[in-house]
Amino acid sequence: MRLAVGFISLAVLAACDTGTEQRDAVASTRAVQRPYVPVPPGTIARGAAAQNAALSPPGPQVTPDLVARGEERFRAFCSPCHGPSGRGDGTVVSRGFPPPPSYHDGRVRALSPEQIVTVITQGKGRMYSYADRVLPEDRWAIAHYIKQLQAQIGAPMRQGAASP
Ligand code: HEC
């Protein structure tokens, strides 16, 4: 009987020892320095400083490629509510989501690209943040695409504005 108890405690102690060894092994790999690997495209920077740098104006240079990228991202993430031309008539709205203001209303037309980037990053009112879905550079791309959309469509005619 005493022998059996001795065996059991030995077995328990042995198990403890193995555990300790494994922990040591895990801890030691943490000290390994990995060689520098280039950042894969599409990676979201984790540091707050890197994020802020990517979001601070003036943002990336506005090129046709950037605006084309913005259009593609806009159609994926924004048009479901804002509608393909930004009039606030997307499919989500047609199913009951509160309609956003049209991009062609004076107040929204006056927003700068930087302010649009801030809306995407922080959300606004009933619109939640898209920070975890839209990369910083893509936020600028979308903002410039919206500015282009606004310039193309122009201010809405106010009712009765055309009549004398
Ligand atoms: C789920 C629906 C929805 C989606 C998707 C959406 N928005 Fe909105 N957005 C709203 C609503 C609703 C408002 C009005 C918010 C309020 O004032 O309460 C709004 C407001 C805005 C405004 C105007 C802010 C202001 O100052 O009045 C901008 C600009 C905007 N959204 C840009 C975007 C962009 C860019 C995207 C895509 C990355 C996007 N939204 C995706 C619903 C959405």
Side-chain angles (χ1 to χ4, degrees), residues 14-91:
C16 288
D17 277 346
T18 331
T20 318
E21 266 166 36
Q22 275 169 359
R23 273 200 296 280
D24 284 353
V26 169
S28 70
T29 58
R30 292 209 180 110
V32 172
Q33 289 278 315
R34 296 208 170 77
Y36 173 75
V37 185
V39 177
T43 303
I44 301 183
R46 280 167 67 194
Q51 281 280 352
N52 290 342
L55 291 174
S56 57
Q61 206 193 343
V62 185
T63 61
D65 277 354
L66 186 87
V67 176
R69 168 80 177 166
E71 174 171 11
E72 190 257 328
R73 297 282 91 182
F74 172 84
R75 288 181 190 278
F77 290 106
C78 320
S79 73
C81 290
H82 287 276
S85 51
R87 291 195 169 90
D89 54 357
T91 48

Side-chain angles (χ1 to χ4, degrees), residues 74 77-78 80-82 92 97-101 103 107-108 111 116 119-120 124-128 130 134 142 146:
F74 172 84
F77 290 106
C78 320
C81 290
H82 287 276
V92 175
F97 195 84
Y103 286 163
R107 197 182 53 77
V108 183
L111 296 178
I116 298 174
V119 172
I120 302 174
K124 173 151 196 211
R126 282 160 298 178
M127 180 184 146
Y128 41 82
Y130 278 77
V134 181
I142 292 174
I146 290 175

